Each structure stands twice: as C-alpha cells, then as structure tokens.
Amino acid sequence: MAPIHNVPKEVIAKIVQLVADSSPNSLTSLSSVNRVFHELVKYRRHHTLNIRGYSLYRINGPDMWAAVRLVKIPDGVPVPDDLSKCIQDMTGLRDVEFRITYESSVFHIMPSDDLFDFFGVPSKHSYRYIAFKRLMDAIAGRPNIRLHFQVTMFDAFTEGRFFKLLMDNKNLSTLDIDHSFETGKHCKTVTEPLRELVLSCSNLRKLKLNIYMPDRFDGLNQYCGMNLKNGERPPALETLELVSYPFGIGGKDIYEDTDHFFIGYESEGREQEYWSNTFDWTQLKQCSTFDLTIFSGNLHKLQSLDELTILGNPDTQAMTEFLNDIPCVLKKISLPCLPSNGIDCILRHGSRLRSLCIHRVVKGTDVWSSPLTKEDLKRLREACPLIDTLAIDIRQSISTELELSRFPELVTLSLFYNFTPEETGDYFPPDFDHQFDASDPMYCENESYVTVYSSKLIFESLRMSSPAQPSRLKELTVGSLGSEYHALAEAHNPTRHSREQWVLESATIIKCTLSDRDDEAALNFFTITAPNLAEDEHEAVQESNRYNVNALTILKRPRDDDRKPPTRVTPGFKYAVHGPLRWDHWKLYKIRKHKAHGLYLRRKGLDEI
C-alpha cells in the first residue's frame, strides 16, 4: 500500500470536503494526520466567516481570505468598517447573508430619509443602513455573489430605505420577510415597496413571506397585499416559503367570502387564482405553503418540484389530490396530518422519497395528532426503501420496534407519543417493558412516559434490531406531547393550574445522537440531550448515560474545581430523568406552592425521589 503522503492533494481535498459535510466534528482529528491535511482542513474551516464585532476576525495567512465562501452578518452585531474592503480580497466569495430586525420604539420611528433620531444621534439601524449600503457597493460589480436578505419588521417606517437600496439588484437571490401588522395602512408601508422590489430583481430565486395580523378583528379586512395584477409576476422561483400572507379578493367575488380574504384586491377574483395562472412555477424545487390553492388548476407546471412542506391546518382532501396529481415524484414530504386517504397518496412517491414528516406544530408547540399504525409503517417500509429521515406521531399501544428497525436506509428518526395515555388506555412503550431493569441506576418507576432512560432503551434496541449491522441509525428524537386541543386551549384561554397547562409543561422531548467518532460509534457511544437543562445537569445526563450512573448522584458529588454542587435541580431535569408528575400531584404542588416537586422530597438541598 502506498503511504498516505503520496496521495494527490486534489484527492485529499475531496476527502476533507466529504468529512466536513458528513461529520464536521471530525475535522479536528483529520487535521492531525499530516501537514497537507492540516492545511486543507484549516482552509475548509475558513469557508464561513461569521461577523461578531466591530473588527473582523484576523485570518492568518494572505491566502485565507480567498478561502471564504460565505459571510454571515447576524442581527444585533456591529458591522466592521473594513468589511467592504476585505470583501475585495475574498475572491472565492459566493454568498452573503444579512439579517436585520426592527422593533417598535420611539428611538426608531423616524422619517425614511433621516439617519438620526430626534436627539441628533445616529440610531443603531442607521449604522446598519450605512454598512448595508457599503456592502451593496462592494458586491455590485460581482454578479456571481448571491445576497440573502432577511428582515423582521415591527416598525413601519424605516424598512423602506433598505428596500430602495435593493431595487434592481442583480445580487439578490433570497428575500425573507417577516412582518406583523395591525392595520391595512401599516401593512402597505411594507407590501408596496416589496412589490416593486420583487418585480425589479431578476435573479431572485428564493422568496419567504410571513406577513400576518396577530389578531384579526371585524372591520380590519382592508386589502394590504402586494397587489400584483395585469400579468405582473416575480422571476421564476426555485424556493417558495409562504408561511402567512394576506390574500385578497376583488371584482364580482368581493362579497363571496369576507371571513378568509381581505377585500380590495384590484384584480378580478381571488388573488390565489392570479398567482396560480400567472406565476412561473416550472423552476420551483422547494415549496412550503399554508395554502395549496396557489397551484389550483396548474399542477402540471410543477415539473421540477422535489420538496413539499404543508403548513397550518389544510384540507386533507386537497392534500390527497395534490400528492396524487402533481406530475413529479417528490424526495421530501412534510405534512401536518394524514391526508384523507391515509398514506396511499404518499406511497406514490416511494421510488424517490427520502424524507417524510407527518407531524403538527400549533402556535409554536409540537403536538400529537395523526398517529400511524403498524400496518402503515410496514407499507411505508416496503414502498419507500430510500427513506433516511422519518418523523411521525405514533400510539403507545402498538409494537413498532421491528418495523422501524427494518427501514434499510434510516438515519434520523423522530417518534412522538401521546402524553396523556390514561385518556386512551395506552402506555409507553409497551414493546420495551421487558427490558426495564429496576437495578439499573438510571431506572425510575415512572416509565410510562418519555424519559432519558426509556429513550436510551429505544435507541439501543432499534440499533441492535436492525438487520443491517452496524445500524445506519444515528439520531433518535422521542417526544411525549399533548394534543392540538391542549395547545389551542392554553393559547386562547391561559388558566393557572389547568389540565392544559399541566400537559404542555410536562411534555418532554429527548434526543439521542450517535458519536461522530468511528471508534466510539462502534462501542455505541451516544449523547442524550433534553430541553431546559442547566449546563451541570446536561453534563450529568451525559456522564450518567456513558457510565451507567444515577444522574442525581453525579450532581451531588464534590467537584474538582471551585464550583459548588447545585442546591436544586430544574423542572426540566426532573421531567427528563424522573418523568412528569401525575395530574393530581402536579395540581396539588402548584396550588400549595411546595418547594418539593410533588413526589420528590427535599433531602440535603436536592430534590430526589
């Protein structure tokens, strides 16, 4: 075998790129192989430049500037004065991300051409405006650089200046608008310049719109969209994300449905019909939308579509018809619920389908709504052999271990169970009951819900049961969630000590991730993470998983450094390690405001079982 230093540098560069894309955490080990690997890994690590302060991070070596492929300018971070000058040295630069957020404040409400507040002091947005103008000038002569502009707006006065700078911009590739409005006049200050911007930028390829009224009241239905008409349309989009948009209605249909449309659209009929008939959908590859009617009657135009995400609470029959009638076969499907005919319309895409998600999010909260059956999983496995990412709701009362472990290419799996099994007679997880070991230090009696211990058992069992060894499964997310009813009831009528509050507070999501290192993966080393854990608690959970020691014991032991052990554990730790409280115990704890956590007694300053 030839020594590794004889391998051509071009081949090593391909190896570094492959490792960086598949396992970024392994780059440190790769850089220690030899000098060539070290230089190429160092070069690869400079592909992304994150702006973090007033001065740029000084890159060692004159050639490193040429390594930069992406510049990220997050919101709230001062833009260095020398950024525009340094961009000239970034000969390999391909993408620039610029993000800004406006918040309603007396200091920010100013005339659109004024760079100063009423005290005569430049505002923070004025500084970013000047920096943004310099950035536009720096990349104006380089059409190969793609600009990705994201703006979140709660102020209706200042964002117009940024839109003016972007008019007829050849670099603008992505436009992401997040705007909440209270009146139609407020919204038009954004949508009117947005209309001109969308029509003037010929290289726009990705458009994301989240334009919404938080609370719509009777009488506030004045049309305030972009008002495209007479053949006007944006360039052919490759990605469309339509989270929310105030669609309008006009002409003879103006009184047809005033509850779901804004009145005053200047074209005939519904605005969705205009989008469907006029827009060029032939290049669309990725689509995320809350409204499928923007394609009504023109599904034949979706010749290039690869990925589909449906948001909100759509018509299940419309989903079925869409998935059955589109001319292409999809690689990724994400649905909030099952279509009207179950998974039949999904199986049609089985020859290419790699990612499937059937799971709903309501008001920003994951909820349990559309469980798949054991037969559904079997049919999916047989018809969709290429699936590597799967996220589904499932019942506790069915044994799914065998079917899930037999997906040949499965790498990432998310399982969401119902948090309230006593309402359905289900318990979690029935097919793992025989594996519970009461002598295990991680074991706890409350294993009818998702905990660190039960999630660990599922991950290990799925990997061991896989026909292909070693198993390809690298990441498992297990959730214990409330239903859509609980999320909506709590959002519309938050009540202290209600059953809905108990469900949402007790819902838990545990994530198991296999180590990126091959030697550790061969020994089934994996990390476990849970939300709302303190740093010490997170370390204790990891050590508990690796060495099979009780996490609370780890927290209580003396530390090597000067830090003292925590005197109390957080609720997130209790839910993740010990499971949630029963409804009656939780209510008693809340009403009496005990410092102890229901069944958990306070001993030596720590909450224990």
Side-chain angles (χ1 to χ4, degrees):
M1 178 183 290
I4 195 170
H5 62 263
N6 291 338
V7 178
K9 194 171 183 178
E10 294 78 8
V11 176
I12 297 178
K14 291 290 185 181
I15 295 174
V16 171
Q17 181 179 354
L18 178 63
V19 173
D21 294 338
S22 60
S23 179
N25 295 332
S26 301
L27 285 177
T28 301
S29 301
L30 194 64
S31 65
S32 62
V33 174
N34 59 30
R35 182 177 179 180
V36 177
F37 273 93
H38 178 78
E39 292 178 353
L40 291 175
V41 168
K42 180 180 178 182
Y43 191 87
R44 182 63 176 78
R45 280 178 168 170
H46 286 87
H47 276 197
T48 300
L49 178 62
N50 290 291
I51 306 301
R52 295 188 176 92
Y54 286 100
S55 61
L56 285 173
Y57 171 70
R58 298 302 175 183
I59 300 178
N60 296 325
D63 296 334
M64 290 297 104
W65 287 110
V68 177
R69 299 292 184 268
L70 169 63
V71 174
K72 291 185 176 181
I73 309 174
D75 184 48
V77 175
V79 181
D81 294 334
D82 53 348
L83 175 60
S84 301
K85 181 180 179 180
C86 293
I87 283 181
Q88 305 304 323
D89 299 326
M90 302 177 190
T91 55
L93 184 63
R94 300 172 185 169
D95 298 274
V96 176
E97 295 182 3
F98 191 96
R99 179 176 179 177
I100 188 168
T101 300
Y102 287 99
E103 297 179 358
S104 298
S105 171
V106 65
F107 297 104
H108 303 154
I109 298 177
M110 62 190 76
S112 60
D113 295 326
D114 190 1
L115 298 183
F116 302 90
D117 62 22
F118 60 85
F119 290 113
V121 180
S123 71
K124 66 176 182 179
H125 294 308
S126 297
Y127 282 128
R128 293 186 71 81
Y129 172 80
I130 296 172
F132 186 68
K133 187 176 186 304
R134 291 173 179 171
L135 180 64
M136 294 299 96
D137 295 338
I139 66 176
R142 300 172 62 179
N144 60 312
I145 298 178
R146 294 169 296 199
L147 174 65
H148 309 277
F149 183 67
Q150 179 181 1
V151 57
T152 301
M153 295 172 286
F154 303 99
D155 184 311
F157 298 93
T158 54
E159 61 274 349
R161 294 181 296 163
F162 286 87
F163 285 169
K164 290 179 182 179
L165 286 179
L166 289 170
M167 292 295 180
D168 199 26
N169 189 292
K170 303 303 180 184
N171 300 103
L172 185 63
S173 175
T174 302
L175 184 60
D176 184 343
I177 306 296
D178 187 347
H179 175 56
S180 63
F181 63 94
E182 298 178 356
T183 65
K185 182 178 180 181
H186 183 191
C187 184
K188 285 183 177 180
T189 59
V190 174
T191 55
E192 289 181 353
L194 175 61
R195 169 180 174 273
E196 301 299 326
L197 177 62
V198 168
L199 295 176
S200 67
C201 297
S202 58
N203 292 325
L204 183 66
R205 293 296 176 263
K206 179 178 179 179
L207 179 63
K208 179 179 179 180
L209 298 178
N210 186 21
I211 304 175
Y212 62 98
M213 179 184 292
D215 297 302
R216 185 175 177 183
F217 302 98
D218 293 338
L220 296 180
N221 57 356
Q222 175 189 359
Y223 177 71
C224 53
M226 290 190 290
N227 202 23
L228 297 173
K229 56 185 183 297
N230 300 327
E232 296 175 335
R233 66 179 184 180
L237 298 173
E238 295 179 358
T239 302
L240 173 66
E241 295 186 41
L242 199 62
V243 181
S244 184
Y245 179 82
F247 281 112
I249 189 171
K252 63 181 181 180
D253 298 328
I254 191 170
Y255 299 108
E256 181 178 325
D257 190 354
T258 59
D259 292 334
H260 299 88
F261 293 91
F262 289 83
I263 298 175
Y265 178 51
E266 295 182 11
S267 187
E268 186 74 21
R270 302 182 180 186
E271 190 173 4
Q272 292 98 320
E273 296 175 356
Y274 179 87
W275 284 37
S276 175
N277 297 326
T278 308
F279 284 24
D280 184 358
W281 301 119
T282 58
Q283 304 301 316
L284 191 65
K285 298 179 180 178
Q286 300 173 332
C287 178
S288 177
T289 179
F290 73 98
D291 192 342
L292 289 173
T293 60
I294 60 174
F295 304 115
S296 293
N298 291 282
L299 293 181
H300 63 278
K301 295 182 179 180
L302 299 174
Q303 305 167 4
S304 305
L305 190 64
D306 287 330
E307 301 180 6
L308 172 68
T309 300
I310 301 179
L311 307 173
N313 189 17
D315 181 2
T316 57
Q317 181 61 34
M319 285 197 302
T320 300
E321 295 174 356
F322 185 93
L323 292 171
N324 280 330
D325 296 342
I326 53 176
C328 54
V329 179
L330 300 176
K331 295 172 62 177
K332 177 182 178 181
I333 298 176
S334 179
L335 309 175
C337 58
L338 282 171
S340 59
N341 68 339
I343 64 171
D344 291 344
C345 57
I346 298 175
L347 300 181
R348 172 180 174 266
H349 304 268
S351 60
R352 290 188 69 205
L353 190 63
R354 291 185 175 273
S355 176
L356 174 64
C357 174
I358 307 177
H359 179 63
R360 174 168 292 175
V361 178
V362 177
K363 303 283 185 181
T365 302
D366 289 274
V367 298
W368 185 87
S369 61
S370 301
L372 267 65
T373 65
K374 185 178 180 179
E375 182 63 26
D376 290 336
L377 293 176
K378 182 179 180 180
R379 295 175 64 196
L380 276 175
R381 176 175 55 82
E382 295 174 348
C384 310
L386 301 179
I387 285 184
D388 57 26
T389 302
L390 182 64
I392 56 174
D393 295 341
I394 202 164
R395 291 189 181 277
Q396 291 94 319
S397 58
I398 65 171
S399 177
T400 59
E401 174 187 356
L402 185 61
E403 295 301 334
L404 290 171
S405 65
R406 288 185 174 179
F407 278 80
E409 302 294 329
L410 194 61
V411 176
T412 303
L413 175 64
S414 298
L415 301 176
F416 300 100
Y417 292 88
N418 184 11
F419 170 75
T420 53
E422 71 276 4
E423 296 178 358
T424 59
D426 296 338
Y427 287 92
F428 169 85
D431 46 329
F432 298 97
D433 285 345
H434 65 281
Q435 300 183 33
F436 289 160
D437 183 3
S439 63
D440 193 315
M442 295 182 65
Y443 174 77
C444 68
E445 296 180 359
N446 196 15
E447 288 302 338
S448 61
Y449 298 105
V450 170
T451 63
V452 168
Y453 180 67
S454 59
S455 302
K456 172 187 176 182
L457 291 181
I458 295 177
F459 191 50
E460 292 176 340
S461 180
L462 288 174
R463 285 184 53 80
M464 288 188 295
S465 303
S466 175
Q469 292 294 334
S471 172
R472 294 178 58 87
L473 184 63
K474 293 185 177 181
E475 184 178 301
L476 171 69
T477 301
V478 185
S480 173
L481 308 176
S483 66
E484 181 177 1
Y485 161 76
H486 296 110
L488 292 175
E490 178 65 14
H492 291 298
N493 186 24
T495 305
R496 294 183 61 188
H497 311 154
S498 66
R499 189 175 181 85
E500 291 76 21
Q501 187 184 20
W502 166 67
V503 170
L504 297 181
E505 183 178 307
S506 303
T508 305
I509 296 180
I510 309 294
K511 184 176 181 181
C512 303
T513 307
L514 191 69
S515 175
D516 285 334
R517 295 178 59 92
D518 292 337
D519 54 345
E520 293 183 346
L523 298 174
N524 286 324
F525 285 164
F526 57 91
T527 59
I528 299 180
T529 56
N532 306 320
L533 291 186
E535 181 179 354
D536 294 337
E537 296 169 349
H538 183 269
E539 295 175 357
V541 168
Q542 303 310 320
E543 191 170 345
S544 170
N545 171 54
R546 173 160 292 196
Y547 300 108
N548 206 29
V549 181
N550 186 277
L552 193 58
T553 302
I554 297 174
L555 279 176
K556 292 169 60 177
R557 71 186 182 189
R559 300 178 181 275
D560 297 334
D561 52 22
D562 296 334
R563 293 183 301 169
K564 296 182 179 180
T567 58
R568 295 194 66 190
V569 293
T570 63
F573 179 83
K574 300 169 188 175
Y575 293 144
V577 175
H578 301 301
L581 290 176
R582 282 171 31 192
W583 158 242
D584 52 346
H585 291 168
W586 179 89
K587 188 175 182 180
L588 183 65
Y589 163 67
K590 286 290 184 179
I591 293 176
R592 295 185 178 181
K593 298 181 180 180
H594 284 173
K595 292 184 179 180
H597 185 63
L599 295 178
Y600 304 100
L601 304 179
R602 189 168 177 80
R603 298 175 182 173
K604 298 180 182 179
L606 284 174
D607 289 332
E608 300 180 346
I609 295 178

